[in-house]
Amino acid sequence: MSFKKVVVAGGGVLGSQIAFQAAYCGFDVTIWLRSEGSIGRTQPKIDKLLDTYRDEIEGMAAGTATWCAGIADSDKPLDKEACLERAQAAHDGIKLELDMAAAVADADLVIESMAEDAKAKVEFYEKLAPLLPAKTVIATNSSTLLPSQFAKYTGRPDRYLALHFANSIWRNNTVEVMGQASTDPAHFDEMLEFANQIRMIALPVRKEKNGYLLNSMLVPWLLSGLDLWASGVSDPKSIDIAWEHGTGAPKGPFRVIDTVGLNTAYNIVLQFQSVPGLLNPLFKKMMLPYNYKEMARLLKSMIDEGKLGMSSGEGFYSYE
């Protein structure tokens, strides 16, 4: 595989993580951002990721932290100093760029990691397409949208596919690789190899599926929690406690939404609101049609107040 230069479009929660992990694994990484304000929001995320990697490495060395396979192999002695040096080099080496043409001028791989807004993604690809070298492969990190929706706008459908990461990728190190009808199988295999090179477990998705593997299971669960709240059945904290204490899971739906960001949850709800019957057949026997309109209204109200989740310091919960 010839990938060396990786460009991540978008510096949100996952975009910044993807960039940091790729840089940690030795790739030349640039994050393309829309505005100076985006730089002001992204650089603190990169700084915080350095602290996170340092803390995880120290905890692994001391035996007090869960092993993070995205950082080091568990079947080999941990070289703490080498890992710390790689984390520092990743932090210092990531470039933030506002000029799209300059960012992608020599890109081997562009990973689009923008909000789940189909119109915005189309506009991005149409602007990106004429700027790319012939060699560049494009991947979307979309969590619910299909790559076939955007392939024709990329100008290179044979080199376009989905590469979806789980959150906290240094620990939850999985990548779902999903092509579309025009994807060249050689580039599909290339993505599987790239995922392994950045210390991820590559999970091939052989057929297009909204939600891929993880979110096909996760999104209905999140919507169930949101509906309990939006319908006035209970409050977010109580709903989370019911799930966490009832199943032994570390996080309930609202803590997960804080982690992935309220903007992401809001955009997903808008998609389901436009086709309100999509999930309802699954719940006819339970007589629980989802109140998407109220979910969207409540989430939008919180977003307008700046409560975006962990990234802003407050969402359904407050964070230092």
Side-chain angles (χ1 to χ4, degrees):
M1 187 182 67
S2 58
F3 289 168
K4 294 181 181 178
K5 183 172 182 179
V6 176
V7 176
V8 179
V13 173
L14 267 173
S16 58
Q17 290 183 25
I18 295 166
F20 199 98
Q21 183 66 26
Y24 178 81
C25 293
F27 287 85
D28 178 354
V29 179
T30 298
I31 302 178
W32 173 77
L33 299 163
R34 293 179 183 274
S35 65
E36 290 287 349
S38 296
I39 289 179
R41 292 186 291 273
T42 300
Q43 187 59 56
K45 292 185 180 74
I46 300 300
D47 297 341
K48 184 172 178 58
L49 282 167
L50 175 59
D51 291 338
T52 298
Y53 275 59
R54 283 172 170 168
D55 290 345
E56 297 284 19
I57 293 164
E58 293 288 353
M60 289 159 61
T64 58
T66 301
W67 197 272
C68 299
I71 293 177
D73 296 328
S74 60
D75 59 350
K76 299 177 183 177
L78 178 68
D79 188 337
K80 185 180 82 169
E81 294 307 319
C83 289
L84 290 171
E85 288 176 9
R86 289 170 66 184
Q88 186 67 56
H91 172 273
D92 297 346
I94 294 173
K95 296 175 284 293
L96 306 183
E97 178 61 70
L98 298 177
D99 185 327
M100 184 183 290
V104 304
D106 191 35
D108 297 306
L109 172 64
V110 173
I111 302 174
E112 172 265 304
S113 185
M114 302 169 65
E116 295 294 83
D117 181 330
K119 182 179 178 182
K121 288 182 187 289
V122 169
E123 292 173 354
F124 167 75
Y125 290 129
E126 289 180 330
K127 184 177 179 181
L128 175 72
L131 303 176
L132 291 175
K135 66 176 181 176
T136 310
V137 176
I138 311 173
T140 178
N141 182 51
S142 174
S143 56
T144 58
L145 301 173
L146 298 176
S148 58
Q149 293 177 247
F150 309 104
K152 67 180 180 180
Y153 302 106
T154 67
R156 57 191 68 209
D158 62 316
R159 290 174 173 265
Y160 179 64
L161 68 171
L163 192 67
H164 180 244
F165 293 76
N167 193 39
S168 301
I169 66 176
W170 60 90
R171 184 186 305 112
N172 305 324
N173 62 320
T174 60
V175 171
E176 297 164 304
V177 181
M178 182 169 73
Q180 35 81 29
S182 299
T183 303
D184 186 329
H187 295 307
F188 185 90
D189 292 340
E190 198 172 30
M191 283 296 98
L192 294 174
E193 184 181 348
F194 171 74
N196 291 330
Q197 287 199 341
I198 60 170
R199 306 187 63 83
M200 300 291 107
I201 300 171
L203 304 173
V205 183
R206 303 293 182 184
K207 181 179 179 181
E208 277 197 312
K209 173 73 169 69
N210 290 96
Y212 306 66
L213 304 179
L214 175 62
N215 284 315
S216 291
M217 298 178 282
L218 177 63
V219 170
W221 174 68
L222 293 178
L223 290 173
S224 294
L226 284 167
D227 187 68
L228 289 171
W229 172 51
S231 301
V233 175
S234 192
D235 59 275
K237 184 177 180 180
S238 297
I239 295 165
D240 275 358
I241 290 173
W243 183 263
E244 292 163 7
H245 286 252
T247 67
K251 291 183 178 181
F254 293 93
R255 290 194 185 277
V256 170
I257 291 170
D258 271 2
T259 302
V260 301
L262 271 72
N263 276 313
T264 296
Y266 176 67
N267 285 324
I268 291 172
V269 168
L270 290 183
Q271 292 176 45
F272 282 93
Q273 185 180 350
S274 66
V275 279
L278 186 60
L279 278 185
N280 290 350
L282 300 176
F283 296 92
K284 279 182 178 178
K285 292 182 180 179
M286 298 171 63
M287 299 301 290
L288 289 173
Y290 283 157
N291 190 347
Y292 297 109
K293 184 176 181 180
E294 185 63 7
M295 289 184 207
R297 187 191 71 79
L298 290 170
L299 287 169
K300 184 64 164 58
S301 175
M302 294 180 66
I303 291 168
D304 289 345
E305 294 174 11
K307 298 178 180 179
L308 308 180
M310 291 181 68
S311 64
S312 68
E314 186 175 5
F316 290 99
Y317 299 87
S318 295
Y319 305 89
E320 293 183 2

